[in-house]
Amino acid sequence: MPQKNQKSNTGLAIPQKPIEYMDIKELYELAEILRGRILEVVSKNGGHLSSSLGAVDIIVAMHYVFNRKHNPFIFDVSHQAYAHKLLSGRFEDFSSLRQFGGISGFCNPKESSADYFIAGHSSTSISLGVGVAKAYKLEGKNGLPVVLIGDGSMSAGLTYEALNELGDRKYPMVIILNDNEMSIARPIGAISKHLSHLISHPMYQSFRNFTKKFLEKMPDSASYLAKRVEESFKLITPGILFEEMGISYIGPIDGHKLEELIFCLKRAREMERPVIVHIQTIKGKGYKIAEGPYEKWHGVGAFDLATGLPLKKPATNLDDSISAKSPTEVYSNTLLEIAKGDKKVVGITAAMPGGVGLGKLMDLYPDRFWDAGIAEQHCVTSMAAMAKEGFIPFVSIYSTFLQRAFDQIIHDVGILGLPVRFSIDRAGIVGEDGETHQGLFDIAYLRIIPNFVLFAPRDNATLIEAVHFAHRFDSAPCAYRYVRGNFVLDTLKSSKPIYKPSCFVFGKCEVLNEGRDIVLIGYGNGVGRAHLVCKELENLGFSPTLVDLRFVKPLDENLAKIIESHAISFVFSDSYKQGGVASAINEMLSQKGILKPIISFELDSMFVPHGNVSSVETHLGLDTSSLFSRTLEVLKTHSIAPIISNPTLQSQKPLKSLET
């Protein structure tokens, strides 16, 4: 497919020569250009580095062998698809990777028609491929889907549901299994390479078809030897699982030798049946510092190319206060201390032990803390059984991934009311990963489940209290959410919490500031936003009451009295309006017959784009200045004036020192 002449600021450029006309030397040179561009941009913007570098050669081979118009490329997760973006007209624009208004870190058809499907969660690709293959068959189209899936995604049930149907229906499809941590099988050297050629060769495929038809006509007693002959081809390769499912297997092959890749992909294309091509790659290929199965190089921030060191060092405080740590680190340390004193405490995560802070607990207590792989549904159901057996399970999963286990949360945890504790990391706006990763749904979908208790800390100090409360609470399932990065309150002071933390009391809110007329209600990180607006309003002479809701389910009955005694209430929470915090409050007030205006500063119904958190919040009107202006507009509409009449105070602008 012809390429535009595209250049980067440093002179890297894709050749004008169409990729299908390049010789092998030119293809290797192209792969190096792509790696250089990925390193150039990711070292400045951050992103998924090692997986993208490792898949460069595969993607070059895909673009060389297949025509995307007839063979749509379907990427699983798609965090490994940077080379595909570069080869499909986005080489120059790639400098805006993961920036607000720029190139997404994942595939997205809204960005380019070259991206067949949006992908940010794993294990969807083969199922999508089956759907494409069905459509092609019904429409009589030529071509087949080409799927690229990583070995990690093979741990999810959805993958095997799709493989099960594919093996039965035999739709033509090429599945490229990118095994980048040798978790499926190890290479068998020259013999393996020879077998890969042999198995993919038309002569072998012809032999298999002949054997199959021959065996169908022979009695079992006469066909035994013939069966053993065919089985011998499969038993000396690692693909017997797939072969037994009815899917042809080629591999494993070296994923960094373009000659081998091109040869096997061409053979797979010509087989006209479902084929898995097992390719082994090295994560971080081409950047020695990152080469290997190192989790820290999977997703990175900006870093120095020469040393690999991050450009922005994590903020630290001289007094090593609790507010200096990330919420994930605070959760990890707190759960570790609890686990040391209580052998009944267990925990599980779905392929993100480092991301959710369970890594150190797995190292110390490997029999009590587990990584189940990309299997959120299994995580939830297995912990439901452990809760029934009297253990104290903590399920640690990102908000965006927990929604994949919605059925299990209802059916296996909720109905029996089992005390499973859900620690929801990355709640709220997460930034550069965008639509597929924003943690904005958990309040709405968990709040509708009977028996569930939902609460949230406002800062690191109260996160400690939240984990302890969850440990003690054994009468129902519960879930608490916390942010990626830092709580707003923890960014304002480093030596001690702004508000002294207190123990969580079941179903009780906490009044942080007594006032008149106006109530600012914060939930979780929303307390920090409400605090900033509260300070701005006080500067203008208003007297707001500030409430940390703490529990959105059940709601504190006393909250109704607080709202009823004030003229107007504002709600701050990193969640959607539909089914969110203000919705819950309005439901309670409606049942009590209380008619008071509740203004929600939660998000409207939309999928939030990618970009750094600050840019996204400003775009959505969630920065301090916008929230304060919106609050004043509402107060003006309702004719609510400052308690203290002070023209000097009223003329002041929002304090920039309070901005985070």
Side-chain angles (χ1 to χ4, degrees), residues 66-113:
F66 299 100
N67 184 325
R68 282 190 291 104
K69 290 183 179 179
H70 305 294
N71 310 120
F73 294 171
I74 303 174
F75 291 89
D76 204 278
V77 184
S78 78
H79 59 231
Q80 80 282 52
Y82 289 176
H84 166 71
K85 287 175 178 280
L86 295 172
L87 287 172
S88 54
R90 288 167 278 183
F91 194 91
E92 185 176 354
D93 292 340
F94 195 66
S95 58
S96 66
L97 178 72
R98 291 161 51 89
Q99 304 298 296
F100 184 70
I103 295 291
S104 169
F106 301 95
C107 287
N108 192 334
K110 295 177 183 177
E111 177 181 296
S112 170
S113 60

Side-chain angles (χ1 to χ4, degrees), residues 96 108 160 169 206 263 297 353 359 397 456 465 506 586:
S96 66
N108 192 334
Y160 294 95
R169 306 282 185 183
S206 223
F263 178 87
W297 286 104
I397 297 179
E465 299 302 327
F506 176 69
N586 274 316

Side-chain angles (χ1 to χ4, degrees), residues 25 56 87 135 194 302 314 320 326 353 438 509 513 553:
K25 182 180 179 221
V56 165
L87 287 172
H194 176 71
D320 194 31
S326 72
Q438 309 289 9
C509 65
N513 188 71
K553 186 181 181 184

Side-chain angles (χ1 to χ4, degrees), residues 145-158:
V146 180
V147 168
L148 177 59
I149 183 170
D151 59 315
S153 296
M154 299 297 286
S155 63
L158 181 58

Side-chain angles (χ1 to χ4, degrees), residues 64-311:
Y64 180 83
V65 172
F66 299 100
N67 184 325
R68 282 190 291 104
K69 290 183 179 179
H70 305 294
N71 310 120
F73 294 171
I74 303 174
F75 291 89
D76 204 278
V77 184
S78 78
H79 59 231
Q80 80 282 52
Y82 289 176
H84 166 71
K85 287 175 178 280
L86 295 172
L87 287 172
S88 54
R90 288 167 278 183
F91 194 91
E92 185 176 354
D93 292 340
F94 195 66
S95 58
S96 66
L97 178 72
R98 291 161 51 89
Q99 304 298 296
F100 184 70
I103 295 291
S104 169
F106 301 95
C107 287
N108 192 334
K110 295 177 183 177
E111 177 181 296
S112 170
S113 60
D115 296 351
Y116 180 79
F117 216 85
I118 192 166
H121 290 185
S122 82
S123 311
T124 62
S125 59
I126 299 177
S127 183
L128 289 168
V130 171
V132 171
K134 287 178 177 177
Y136 277 23
K137 183 175 182 180
L138 289 172
E139 294 172 349
K141 282 187 177 181
N142 292 323
L144 48 76
V146 180
V147 168
L148 177 59
I149 183 170
D151 59 315
S153 296
M154 299 297 286
S155 63
L158 181 58
T159 296
Y160 294 95
E161 293 174 26
L163 286 172
N164 183 55
E165 183 180 14
L166 181 62
D168 180 51
R169 306 282 185 183
K170 300 292 190 295
Y171 297 116
M173 185 190 305
V174 175
I175 301 169
I176 301 170
L177 174 56
N178 179 16
D179 176 4
N180 56 28
E181 292 186 353
M182 291 187 285
S183 59
I184 304 294
R186 294 180 178 273
I188 314 175
I191 295 176
S192 173
K193 185 185 299 183
H194 176 71
L195 285 171
S196 296
H197 279 236
L198 176 64
I199 292 169
S200 65
H201 198 280
M203 185 179 295
Y204 169 72
Q205 297 302 324
S206 223
F207 168 74
R208 290 187 76 237
N209 292 336
F210 169 78
T211 302
K212 183 176 180 181
K213 291 176 182 178
F214 176 73
L215 293 178
E216 288 173 353
K217 299 176 181 179
M218 295 289 290
D220 289 342
S221 58
S223 64
Y224 175 76
L225 183 58
K227 284 182 179 179
R228 297 291 294 179
V229 170
E230 185 187 12
E231 286 300 311
S232 67
F233 280 95
K234 294 190 290 185
L235 288 173
I236 53 179
T237 71
I240 188 170
L241 169 65
F242 304 114
E243 291 277 359
E244 289 299 317
M245 295 181 77
I247 300 169
S248 299
Y249 172 90
I250 301 173
I253 62 175
D254 189 331
H256 302 298
K257 291 189 176 179
L258 285 167
E259 303 93 329
E260 300 296 324
L261 289 169
I262 291 168
F263 178 87
C264 288
L265 290 181
K266 282 183 176 179
R267 292 302 186 200
R269 182 188 63 191
E270 294 161 3
M271 288 166 66
E272 297 183 347
R273 63 166 64 92
V275 185
I276 284 185
V277 183
H278 180 180
I279 298 172
Q280 292 188 311
T281 60
I282 298 171
K283 275 189 151 185
K285 177 68 174 177
Y287 185 53
K288 288 294 183 184
I289 300 173
E291 285 187 0
Y294 303 119
E295 185 180 353
K296 69 177 182 179
W297 286 104
H298 174 73
V300 299
F303 65 95
D304 179 73
L305 264 175
T307 64
L309 297 174
L311 292 180

